[in-house]
Amino acid sequence: MKRTLKSSAEKQTAIHESVHYPFTAIVGQDAMKLALILNVIDPHIGGVLVMGHRGTGKSTAVRGLAGCCPQLKK
């Protein structure tokens, strides 16, 4: 069986089409959520470094917020 490699654009499309936990349903982590939202509002902030122990919802929050935001056109 021959595998085909997906292009970067195809991978991004697949990521945005998948279903993620809703950002608004995340309980707690208020400082992290505020920092992520402010970074979406003003990208000149320069990003957010999300740190924490395993299982604290870091990736879930970021993916959930990305699911709420429209895709940027290049």
Side-chain angles (χ1 to χ4, degrees):
M1 177 188 287
K2 185 177 179 182
R3 285 192 196 184
T4 58
L5 298 176
K6 291 184 178 181
S7 70
S8 179
E10 290 173 327
K11 288 178 184 177
Q12 288 296 330
T13 302
I15 289 170
H16 285 285
E17 289 177 354
S18 61
V19 178
H20 298 292
Y21 194 79
F23 184 76
T24 55
I26 297 172
V27 178
Q29 304 291 347
D30 295 328
M32 175 184 62
K33 292 190 295 187
L34 177 62
L36 291 170
I37 290 169
L38 290 175
N39 196 61
V40 169
I41 293 169
D42 184 7
H44 292 99
I45 291 173
V48 177
L49 177 62
V50 181
M51 297 173 55
H53 295 287
R54 289 179 59 190
T56 55
K58 300 175 299 290
S59 296
T60 302
V62 172
R63 289 182 187 130
L65 183 61
C68 296
C69 299
Q71 274 189 305
L72 297 176
K73 295 180 182 178
K74 293 184 179 184

